[in-house]
Amino acid sequence: MTYISYGVLYRLFDLSGNARTNLLDFIISTKQKSFADGKIHNFSLPPDDSYSERFGITFMSLDSDNLEEFKNRLLTLCELRKYKSRGGVWVGLGSLKNSDNMVDMVAFNDKPWEYDEKLENLSKTFLDGTGQFIKLGKKIGRNEKCPCGSGLKYKKCCGK
């Protein structure tokens, strides 16, 4: 039996109906990509400044069915995405390659953001050009600030 934190459910149900539908569509297409090409794919929803807690989501579709590898990769990716975007609350969702489930693992992190030199260096090394940030609402303009929180324009950061 799997237990999901109430914090995860509250955050996901707090999304608008359209946002939940769009999130589901992105999860399906990301999982299909991994199944088709045998590679890891992921996306993240950046924190929305309208929430005081700066809440973000990451989804990862693994290229294998190794549960331990999956757990480590998902937790690491979520921690780095949360750190880079200065998120307050982060939900990680993930799926194994050959699973019939849409989501096989859920992670929840609500530790307050604070500067960490190790995470700073790891986020620069491992997040450069990996995955994508998406918005469930309006499109991010090339000259807008990147939603990851770097302070750079989107075209110079995650929009490369």
Side-chain angles (χ1 to χ4, degrees), residues 42-44 77 81 123 125-133 158:
N42 68 80
F43 68 85
S44 294
L77 178 62
R81 285 284 186 212
S123 68
T125 302
F126 290 108
L127 294 182
D128 195 28
T130 62
Q132 62 177 330
F133 267 106
C158 295

Side-chain angles (χ1 to χ4, degrees), residues 42 77 80-81 84 119-133 146 148 150 152 154-160:
N42 68 80
L77 178 62
L80 294 176
R81 285 284 186 212
K84 184 175 181 181
L119 289 176
E120 187 74 31
N121 292 329
L122 285 172
S123 68
K124 288 177 184 174
T125 302
F126 290 108
L127 294 182
D128 195 28
T130 62
Q132 62 177 330
F133 267 106
C146 189
C148 76
S150 67
L152 299 173
Y154 180 67
K155 67 182 178 184
K156 299 273 187 184
C157 191
C158 295
K160 289 182 184 178

Side-chain angles (χ1 to χ4, degrees), residues 21-74:
T21 300
N22 291 340
L23 176 61
L24 187 60
D25 290 343
F26 276 110
I27 288 172
I28 291 168
S29 67
T30 302
K31 185 166 170 119
Q32 288 172 341
K33 285 180 192 175
S34 288
F35 188 77
D37 67 11
K39 296 179 181 176
I40 297 172
H41 291 278
N42 68 80
F43 68 85
S44 294
L45 304 173
D48 184 344
D49 288 328
S50 65
Y51 289 92
S52 62
E53 298 174 306
R54 295 197 36 81
F55 161 64
I57 301 172
T58 291
F59 176 81
M60 173 189 279
S61 181
L62 198 63
D63 59 344
S64 78
D65 290 317
N66 182 323
L67 193 58
E68 193 60 33
E69 174 192 8
F70 180 48
K71 181 176 111 178
N72 292 333
R73 284 180 178 262
L74 180 62

Side-chain angles (χ1 to χ4, degrees), residues 88-155:
V89 175
W90 209 267
V91 174
L93 306 170
S95 179
L96 295 165
K97 181 179 180 181
N98 292 309
S99 172
D100 291 333
N101 299 323
M102 186 112 19
V103 173
D104 295 302
M105 187 171 289
V106 177
F108 181 74
N109 183 338
D110 63 352
K111 288 190 272 183
W113 187 94
E114 59 183 47
Y115 178 79
D116 182 305
E117 189 171 344
K118 180 181 174 187
L119 289 176
E120 187 74 31
N121 292 329
L122 285 172
S123 68
K124 288 177 184 174
T125 302
F126 290 108
L127 294 182
D128 195 28
T130 62
Q132 62 177 330
F133 267 106
I134 60 168
K135 282 233 179 210
L136 295 178
K138 73 174 190 116
K139 182 178 175 183
I140 303 167
R142 290 176 37 79
N143 291 316
E144 290 181 40
K145 283 189 175 184
C146 189
C148 76
S150 67
L152 299 173
K153 289 184 178 182
Y154 180 67
K155 67 182 178 184

